Amino acid sequence: MAKIVMKFGGTSVGDIPRIRNVAKLVQREVERGHNVAVVVSAMAGETNKLVAWTRELSPLHDAREYDSVVSSGEQVTAGLLAVALAAIGVPARSWLGWQIPIRTSAMHGSARILAIESDLLNQRISNGQVAVVAGFQGIAPDQRVTTLGRGGSDTSAVALAAALKADRCDIYTDVDGVYTTDPRITSRARKLERISYEEMLELASLGAKVLQTRSVEVAMVHRVPVRVLSAFAADNGGTLVCDEEDIVEKNPVTGIAYTKDEAKITLLRVPDQPGVAAAIFGPLADAGVNVDMIVQNVSEDGRRTDLTFTTQRSDLDRALHAIRNAAPQIGYKDVISDPRVAKISIIGIGMRAHPGVAQTMFTTLAQKGINIQVISTSEIKVSVLISEDYVELAVRALHSAYDLDSA
Ligand code: ADP
Ligand code: ASP
Ligand code: MG
């Protein structure tokens, strides 16, 4: 008998027949003798609708009320799944974040889980009652409802699995595993049998939304074995997210991620002297802008140079505002920006041992006539910034170049 956490995403609980399908998958695990906690997302499209309503009423709404509104989608599905389970004879009850409780920070809209007081829930599931937990939500120190950022039900599930010391956490979604790249971009994407925590962390943080980045961090820290599998073809095996040691074949490139949510800002003719980087990035940090890639050119005359950096597209206006306000302290000649850029990243733990991996990326993009605007690297990834127009072309070309295409 094992203790397992099963998580179902928005598409998997998207309508009543699908909720019945989920109830059957849960029933199957109960009949195998397992103790089960289920974490559910809101029905597909629900959270987007709730976010849009809140914004429509006021773009500058109170973040606590935003959380109160957008957390409601998960309450509906938790209750409905408990009803569906009872209807087929499986004892179950729903749990909201505050009822467990799942304690989080007070950062409304993107709160972090601090602790899960799971004793009562654990007792109930040990007695054979299925716990159906509303994902994405928790409770702040001041007792207000919080949410964990978009895609946060993944994190609810992995954190609950860690708190319960579950044997595994199964993430059911609309694809049957983690692929070499987003299967929506190329039909040649291949399902991975296994992927290391480290690679999955990079893949997620560089754009693959199959798992929320934070959920992979939690899984890695607590060594929770995570499986990603399809709610519609549950017997397909899925992908195991596991320790690097458990992976035999370490390819130079395991996966390719992309994000279109990028913007580029260039400051022209910045003084080439100590303190300038601090004068630029200090005001950006104060304005809450996350800076990602940074490049500074060598100056020709030793006096002035150009500096380019990227931010999330949604932060562009705020970033430009901060830069313009700090113009007297920075002393640049002009600022230009481009919101139509995208970041493509190749990821693989085998990169450490294989030289020349980045070179293949640069040659492949050159052959397609795609200009690389900025490059950044780490031990197991290389990212490039390119025009948004070439995302699909670049991903497909790189996918072939690194021999990732399915047969
Ligand atoms: P859920 O609602 O179940 O949480 P998401 O939409 O958040 O599902 O995540 C699943 C989606 O992630 C897939 O439909 C797929 O398009 C996308 N995706 C992006 N990159 C990958 C990848 N490398 N492997 C699998 N899916 C990916
Ligand atoms: N319903 C939330 C969202 O759409 C959380 C999740 O699905 O993981 O972001
Ligand atoms: Mg998701």
Side-chain angles (χ1 to χ4, degrees), residues 280-298:
I280 296 169
F281 297 110
L284 288 168
D286 293 343
V289 174
N290 267 325
V291 172
D292 181 15
M293 304 163 113
I294 304 174
V295 273
Q296 182 180 330
N297 292 336
V298 175

Side-chain angles (χ1 to χ4, degrees), residues 7-10 41-43 47-48 70 74 135-136 149-154:
K7 180 258 171 179
F8 294 90
S41 291
M43 289 175 163
T47 311
N48 286 348
V70 302
E74 273 72 10
F136 187 45
R150 298 306 306 268
S153 296
D154 296 330

Side-chain angles (χ1 to χ4, degrees), residues 171-182:
I171 307 274
Y172 288 84
T173 181
D174 56 3
V175 275
D176 60 358
V178 179
Y179 278 67
T180 46
T181 193
D182 187 347

Side-chain angles (χ1 to χ4, degrees), residues 346-364:
I346 53 168
I347 294 125
I349 42 177
M351 221 176 263
R352 294 190 197 118
H354 290 80
V357 175
Q359 181 53 25
T360 305
M361 180 180 210
F362 305 150
T363 320
T364 307

Side-chain angles (χ1 to χ4, degrees), residues 107-186:
M107 183 65 88
H108 286 274
S110 56
R112 286 168 82 91
I113 295 177
L114 302 175
I116 301 183
E117 290 166 27
S118 57
D119 287 355
L120 183 60
L121 187 143
N122 198 11
Q123 212 180 314
R124 295 288 182 84
I125 64 170
S126 303
N127 288 335
Q129 185 185 59
V130 171
V132 186
V133 176
F136 187 45
Q137 54 174 264
I139 179 169
D142 68 355
Q143 312 294 311
R144 303 283 310 249
V145 174
T146 50
T147 61
L148 309 178
R150 298 306 306 268
S153 296
D154 296 330
T155 303
S156 309
V158 176
L160 185 63
L164 292 171
K165 299 193 172 54
D167 296 278
R168 59 172 209 269
C169 181
D170 289 343
I171 307 274
Y172 288 84
T173 181
D174 56 3
V175 275
D176 60 358
V178 179
Y179 278 67
T180 46
T181 193
D182 187 347
R184 287 184 205 188
I185 280 242
T186 169

